[in-house]
Amino acid sequence: AQTVTQSQPEMSVQEAETVTLSCTYDTSESDYYLFWYKQPPSRQMILVIRQEAYKQQNATENRFSVNFQKAAKSFSLKISDSQLGDAAMYFCAYPPPGSSNTGKLIFGQGTTLQVKP
Amino acid sequence: EAGVAQSPRYKIIEKRQSVAFWCNPISGHATLYWYQQILGQGPKLLIQFQNNGVVDDSQLPKDRFSAERLKGVDSTLKIQPAKLEDSAVYLCASSSDGAQPQHFGDGTRLSIL
């Protein structure tokens, strides 16, 4: 089955604290990309971070980092020093088997992140 | 660099009517995607174009949905006739090629009465 699971429908974090959003997926491919996208309320979806599956080093973009566990098919997003502007819906996405280079993505159900001042 | 442009931003129609959405991708982006995002869910790919050819339309309800990308630039997505379950946000995205990240437009929010 081509699935990506975000088990946390909602999360909240205190401003300046750290939060981790979880994502698991299912693929038999060995080389692929994984993505986290952010969708603020009524605003466009933007790329947060991308991980290449063949790289063992976890990707980092400023306050955003991933914990990629290939064998466990787990791809969590860590947000450090949370800011009010981080409040949004976060989607994990990956290419279904056979689509690694086509651009086709399957998105999870999303996690709504609330940041408390 | 200008982003992905979509219009209209909002559309309200009655069921069984027809509606069309327009998308202008980032200049030079060969790959264009249309997604349907139902409230509270992740986007679902409807159709993917590479230049003016269709790469994947496996999840497009072809009895009522159609899309075209004339000249490999702008694209239109049409629904005819609309059903209540078509109420959703329709997102357009583009990328320079299939291996690159997708850039999304603001979307069109469609409400069916």
Side-chain angles (χ1 to χ4, degrees), chain A:
Chain A
Q2 304 166 8
T3 59
V4 54
T5 303
Q6 294 181 248
S7 59
Q8 308 148 316
E10 296 180 355
M11 293 281 285
S12 68
V13 62
Q14 205 70 34
E15 194 175 7
E17 297 294 310
T18 296
V19 65
T20 298
L21 310 183
S22 66
C23 173
T24 58
Y25 59 96
D26 185 19
T27 185
S28 56
E29 304 280 313
S30 59
D31 187 16
Y32 48 90
Y33 285 97
L34 294 159
F35 303 86
W36 277 99
Y37 280 89
K38 169 185 175 182
Q39 189 175 41
S42 301
R43 295 181 63 187
Q44 65 181 217
M45 184 107 64
I46 58 173
L47 178 69
V48 174
I49 199 164
R50 175 172 77 161
Q51 172 76 44
E52 297 175 77
Y54 70 88
K55 288 188 176 180
Q56 294 188 350
Q57 186 174 8
N58 289 325
T60 299
E61 288 287 345
N62 300 315
R63 298 181 297 106
F64 298 88
S65 61
V66 302
N67 182 7
F68 175 50
Q69 303 290 328
K70 191 172 184 179
K73 297 178 183 175
S74 170
F75 179 58
S76 60
L77 175 69
K78 185 171 97 172
I79 306 174
S80 304
D81 186 24
S82 297
Q83 301 176 0
L84 296 177
D86 295 334
M89 198 155 187
Y90 287 81
F91 294 97
C92 173
Y94 87 114
S99 303
S100 296
N101 292 319
T102 68
K104 181 176 181 178
L105 294 177
I106 293 178
F107 285 80
Q109 294 286 80
T111 296
T112 300
L113 178 66
Q114 180 186 27
V115 181
K116 298 178 180 178

Side-chain angles (χ1 to χ4, degrees), chain B residues 99-112:
Chain B
Q100 297 305 313
Q102 298 177 27
H103 299 260
F104 285 80
D106 289 334
T108 296
R109 183 175 299 276
L110 175 66
S111 298
I112 312 293

Side-chain angles (χ1 to χ4, degrees), chain B residues 6 8 22-23 25 31 37-39 41-42 44 79 83 86 88 95-96 100-102:
Chain B
Q6 288 189 249
W22 174 82
C23 173
T31 311
Q37 185 178 19
I38 293 173
L39 184 65
Q41 297 182 18
K44 182 183 81 172
I79 308 175
K83 291 186 175 181
D86 299 332
S95 64
S96 54
Q100 297 305 313
Q102 298 177 27

Side-chain angles (χ1 to χ4, degrees), chain B residues 45-73:
Chain B
L45 180 68
L46 292 175
I47 189 167
Q48 177 184 346
F49 291 95
Q50 181 72 21
N51 296 309
N52 61 352
V54 175
V55 174
D56 188 322
D57 63 357
S58 57
Q59 298 196 87
L60 186 74
K62 298 180 185 64
D63 58 334
R64 297 184 301 106
F65 285 64
S66 64
E68 61 182 9
R69 190 182 184 196
L70 299 177
K71 301 180 182 179
V73 182

